[in-house]
Amino acid sequence: MSDWEVWLIILLVIGVVFSNLAVLKYSSKFKLPPFGQPQKPADKSKDVADKQDNNQKKN
């Protein structure tokens, strides 16, 4: 391999590493719920009413 090909590969690897670090830094700002904790239950009465409305529209 010639010298410019080696430098190109090195630059590509460095670019991938820095872009991954930038994505990690950006994504660390988002808050995700912790694993294992139950989520709030949805309002079942609203879901039932929506299903009934959809059934009436189909008929």
Side-chain angles (χ1 to χ4, degrees):
M1 264 200 278
S2 65
D3 287 341
W4 68 271
E5 291 172 333
V6 172
W7 282 108
L8 181 65
I9 292 172
I10 291 171
L11 288 175
L12 286 173
V13 170
I14 291 172
V16 168
V17 169
F18 279 117
S19 66
N20 285 336
L21 289 174
V23 168
L24 284 173
K25 184 178 178 183
Y26 176 74
S27 65
S28 68
K29 296 177 184 178
F30 296 106
K31 296 195 179 205
L32 296 175
F35 293 111
Q37 287 188 351
Q39 295 180 352
K40 295 179 184 175
D43 187 11
K44 292 182 181 179
S45 61
K46 183 179 178 184
D47 291 339
V48 170
D50 289 341
K51 287 180 183 178
Q52 289 175 351
D53 289 340
N54 288 338
N55 287 338
Q56 289 175 357
K57 288 179 184 178
K58 288 180 183 178
N59 294 335

